[in-house]
Amino acid sequence: MKPAQLPQFKGNILFAIFFWLFNLSLLLVILVGFVPFIGIAILNDAFRGEVPFSILVPVFGLVGVPTTSAVMGIQRQRRLNAKPRLIPETDPSPPLRQPLSLIQIFFGLEAPILMVCTIRLFFLRDLTEGSAFIFTSIALATVIFAHWLVHGRHHEPSPTSWIYLAGMTIMLVLSIYLSAIAFFYVIPIAQTVGIGIFYSFLLFTILLPIVFPLMLLFSGLVMMPWGMLLLFYQDWKRILNERSARFGTVWPRVVVGGSVALWLSVLLVLQQQPQAKAFALLETQPQAEGDRLELLQQSELIRDGLLNAYLAAYRYPLLENRFIYETYRYYVGLPDAISNVIQSAYNAVLSPFAYQGTSFDKEKAAQLYAEFFDTPILRGEHEAIQTAVLSNFNRSEAKAGLLDINAERVALEQQDVTVTPQGDWAEVEIHEVYANTTSEQTEILYYFSLPESAVVTGLWLGETGDRTQRYEYIVSPRGAAQEVYNEQVQRRVDPALLEQVGPRNYRLRAFPIPPVWQDTLPEDGEPDKMHLWLTYKVIKQNDQWILPALNERRNIFWTDNTKRTINGVTQSAIDDWLPLSIAADGNEPTTHQVEFSDGYIIAKPLADTDYQMPEGKNLAVILDQSYSMTAHRAAVDHSIQWLRENILETNTVDMYLTDTGARQAEKVSLESFDLGNSMFYGAMQTRHMLEQYKAAIASDGQSDTTQPYDAILLLTDSGSYELTQDSSPIDLSAPLWMVHLGGLQDAYDDATLDTIQNSGGNTADNIETAITRIATQPSLGEGTSLLNVVDGYGWFLRQTADSSAPNASQMAPLAARQWIAQVSEAVKPDQLNQLDAIHQVAKDNSIVTPYSSMIVLVNSQQEQQLKEAENRADRFDREIEDQQLPEPQDAIAPVSAVPEPTEWALLIAGMLVLGLWYGQRTRVLQLGQSHELDL
């Protein structure tokens, strides 16, 4: 028996000390400085689905990599300290494997993964295909190298050696690449050391316990690329020599050259940026049908290119970056020409991370996207943009730029619905409690729809559930209310605003929901929750009380833990904001009468036989042919077929085809119109389509005021409120019906809303509903006029009371809503006296109308500001806004080319250790010749 002959490892004690100090310092900084402040925030957001997987992995890597390296180092030392094992001389088993050296652990395994995690987390945001390919290559090559360390280097050569050779070839190329990047920083850092040597003596004596761990980390990161290059070159050369000895030099060279060529080819392909091609395709507005068709066929390339340009600040950290030039020109002091050459070389080396364009491309891309795809890029590419914004280790910055649509920041903790029936109508109260889950004040927003006959009657805010302490609404002109609300939000003071933004559409905003940290300090008097109450009156439909239908939400979310009650009865969890409806009692609809200033408003339930189909009518149908209608081609075809089969025989229908580049619409026959020949292209707004319609009528020698149309139907989609512009209403001689195929529009600009109301029109989501309501004209006899036909009731204005109809004073808000809708037909935007009269009716009945909004204010200063706004001439002028769709912020802030004096200590520390490492490089190379670089 004799002891097994374990190799005697002779190592560099200095590197061993550095290895342990580096990993301990890294763990200290991560566990003390990173995890509590950044790591926990990332994990919390990850549980809520707000962190991309590519960001989450580096977080675990920064903790796991140094921990794993330290464990490997400990196990290695245990093996070296273990007593030799006696084995028989005749034992045929192979000799014991040599443990990995610290240099192999550090430069071969820890350095590549640590660099990938650091660069991904702190340097890059939204990964491009090129940067993702580089990271994947490093990860795969590291796995191959690790497999070789564990299995390949101790066994006889095998076919897998070709895989080892290819993997180490790629890693060698990547090491050269990383070393080339680090090379640009050598001179500035060296000069910083010389300039900052004096400061180092002063700072080290005072701040050494703090500076030393950071110094080690910096020095370790600086030396990693060169250490990786030396290590991988030696092991790559070892495998290359072994393959060459067995198979000659040709095949190994083919593998090496082929691996490099294939890798570079893939990188070159993935590195191509599509924005230049997209901009070139959209440089001119095509007029010919063939040119448009060609662009439509390349719509995906255009989409990718415009999105890449819009997200350039997130995807490319070197967007117009001149850091190297400024460093060498103004800090190092080199001539301008040389500094430019160095900057150009730096840009070439970092081309996979550089954007091939300018910062102005973002605005250009947003404009071209809207013009081509007929929707804002923030809506059309919401998921991709949200992912890019969230790809940020700085969670507060990520949340600042986060698109608020469907964002989950404020939890709906409690929701109570109370229905108080009054026969065939009821008053509904919705009480909600909001709890912020972030550390910032947050606004919530709902876009929702109610039945057209329903009317909102109240809005309150409260810091607690005590109704006696809540803040009550004020009915104010829509423009004045919007102005004051926005100003108060900028001042971060509590307001709430409820507006009607369509015949059935409402927008509710409340600010600020208190930050999450106030939950722990209720004793300080700070509000820890926000309570909101909303009430509305609604008529029963099909034995159901209809609840608000959510069109869009921002910042608010609910879970299975949300407490929900209806009339005090606890409800099970649902995925929606509210149930669609609540079952009503069996009371039959009845006729109601409300005394009004102009007479008596009567609501009469209609039977199925009261609804009519048009006869002898002359209808105009305008077809929206913008790009967004492509998704609704089937609905358009159905609408046209229904008109042909049900309307055309007894009525006249003229079709007007809009066109993005045309001055006027094309008039065609409904009978001969072929949808298959239509091309949906470009962007158009309601105003443009109506102007084209009026121009087409004028070209026929007629004016819109004399054209005998009984109704105008615009077949369109849900539209894009954000793309509209402030303008004035369009005068039309016939009611305008907006038929939104695929769903009603969330909101209308005031010009479009006034055009609909002033013409006596309305909105619908299908052609059948619109035509039926246009044709149905019930009457109560002489002395009455029809106000509206909606939700199963006819609303009439009568000069004298109807003795057969009971008075229902509590229905006054419902009646006022119908009166305002009818009176709006005769009101012009500049007739302030008429608008004031309509607004006064809204105030007297405490209702929200297209002209009057409800705003909740919390102090006298706000109320005084509102009074001043209500006295201005623009009190009814509401601006188009969408504050919750922010443009992405610049991903990289300007960087100073000259380090601050407080940064010199870190730079000097790194260079000192780096110099020591260079002093030992010869020794390392000598040890590496035998590939026994064990310390």
Side-chain angles (χ1 to χ4, degrees), residues 22-36 209 213 217:
F22 177 87
N23 283 287
L24 291 176
S25 299
L26 180 57
L27 287 173
L28 176 65
V29 171
I30 290 175
L31 296 177
V32 175
F34 175 79
V35 172
L217 296 181

Side-chain angles (χ1 to χ4, degrees), residues 386-450:
Q386 190 172 51
T387 299
V389 173
L390 291 173
S391 298
N392 190 350
F393 77 94
N394 187 336
R395 300 318 298 163
S396 61
E397 185 176 342
K399 293 178 184 298
L402 176 65
L403 302 183
D404 297 327
I405 299 176
N406 295 334
E408 297 185 351
R409 299 178 180 174
V410 176
L412 176 60
E413 283 201 344
Q414 181 178 335
Q415 181 187 80
D416 304 306
V417 179
T418 304
V419 180
T420 306
Q422 303 289 338
D424 59 348
W425 66 275
E427 179 153 14
V428 181
E429 180 190 79
I430 299 174
H431 168 230
E432 294 190 337
V433 182
Y434 310 116
N436 201 338
T437 64
T438 73
S439 58
E440 300 175 350
Q441 293 180 331
T442 305
E443 179 187 56
I444 62 168
L445 181 146
Y446 291 115
Y447 278 109
F448 64 90
S449 300
L450 284 171

Side-chain angles (χ1 to χ4, degrees), residues 66-137:
T67 302
T68 303
S69 297
V71 171
M72 292 176 65
I74 293 173
Q75 291 181 344
R76 171 189 175 277
Q77 193 61 40
R78 286 180 177 176
R79 286 193 60 187
L80 293 178
N81 295 336
K83 294 182 179 180
R85 178 170 57 88
L86 297 177
I87 58 176
E89 294 183 2
T90 57
D91 191 341
S93 59
L96 296 178
R97 293 182 180 181
Q98 299 175 353
L100 298 180
S101 69
L102 293 184
I103 285 183
Q104 290 171 331
I105 295 173
F106 186 78
F107 288 120
L109 302 177
E110 181 175 4
I113 301 177
L114 192 60
M115 292 189 69
V116 166
C117 293
T118 303
I119 294 174
R120 172 65 189 95
L121 192 60
F122 299 108
F123 186 63
L124 297 178
R125 291 194 176 186
D126 194 30
L127 291 181
T128 63
E129 292 179 342
S131 57
F133 175 70
I134 291 177
F135 287 157
T136 303
S137 300

Side-chain angles (χ1 to χ4, degrees), residues 720-734:
S720 298
Y721 167 77
E722 297 84 14
L723 296 182
T724 55
Q725 298 178 353
D726 290 314
S727 58
S728 57
I730 295 179
D731 291 330
L732 298 173
S733 62

Side-chain angles (χ1 to χ4, degrees), residues 455-652:
V455 58
V456 176
T457 57
L459 179 70
W460 296 264
L461 278 183
E463 297 171 353
T464 68
D466 186 353
R467 292 172 179 263
T468 63
Q469 299 297 320
R470 62 186 184 178
Y471 302 103
E472 190 172 2
Y473 62 89
I474 299 174
V475 179
S476 177
R478 63 188 183 188
Q482 182 195 53
E483 176 187 339
V484 172
Y485 176 85
N486 288 335
E487 289 184 2
Q488 293 305 310
V489 167
Q490 293 177 357
R491 297 177 182 179
R492 313 194 74 78
V493 182
D494 302 55
L497 179 64
L498 178 59
E499 306 167 277
Q500 186 172 353
V501 289
R504 296 171 52 186
N505 310 83
Y506 297 85
R507 176 170 59 194
L508 171 61
R509 292 182 282 179
F511 177 89
I513 312 301
V516 65
W517 54 264
Q518 289 188 5
D519 278 355
T520 60
L521 300 174
E523 65 274 11
D524 291 351
E526 295 286 352
D528 60 341
K529 301 286 191 299
M530 177 178 281
H531 295 251
L532 182 143
W533 292 264
L534 181 148
T535 60
Y536 68 95
K537 296 181 185 290
V538 63
I539 292 177
K540 181 172 60 177
Q541 296 184 42
N542 300 321
D543 292 330
Q544 298 287 318
W545 304 120
I546 307 301
L547 295 178
L550 182 67
N551 299 324
E552 186 176 292
R553 61 180 172 88
R554 300 184 185 174
N555 286 331
I556 185 75
F557 71 99
W558 41 87
T559 67
D560 292 345
N561 295 324
T562 299
K563 299 177 183 178
R564 299 176 184 265
T565 66
I566 295 179
N567 289 333
V569 179
T570 301
Q571 304 295 307
S572 58
I574 59 175
D575 294 333
D576 298 324
W577 176 36
L578 289 159
L580 296 177
S581 61
I582 299 173
D585 53 38
N587 291 338
E588 293 296 324
T590 59
T591 300
H592 303 276
Q593 181 173 244
V594 179
E595 186 175 0
F596 216 70
S597 57
D598 290 354
Y600 295 86
I601 295 179
I602 299 174
K604 178 185 177 182
L606 301 179
D608 292 341
T609 55
D610 291 326
Y611 292 95
Q612 308 164 9
M613 293 294 285
E615 291 188 7
K617 301 293 184 180
N618 192 5
L619 306 176
V621 177
I622 306 172
L623 178 60
D624 177 4
Q625 291 197 122
S626 61
Y627 180 89
S628 58
M629 287 291 289
T630 304
H632 308 291
R633 184 181 286 270
V636 173
D637 185 58
H638 168 78
S639 300
I640 292 174
Q641 291 300 326
W642 188 87
L643 288 171
R644 287 172 177 167
E645 296 171 1
N646 298 276
I647 304 300
L648 197 56
E649 184 176 351
T650 57
N651 302 273
T652 301

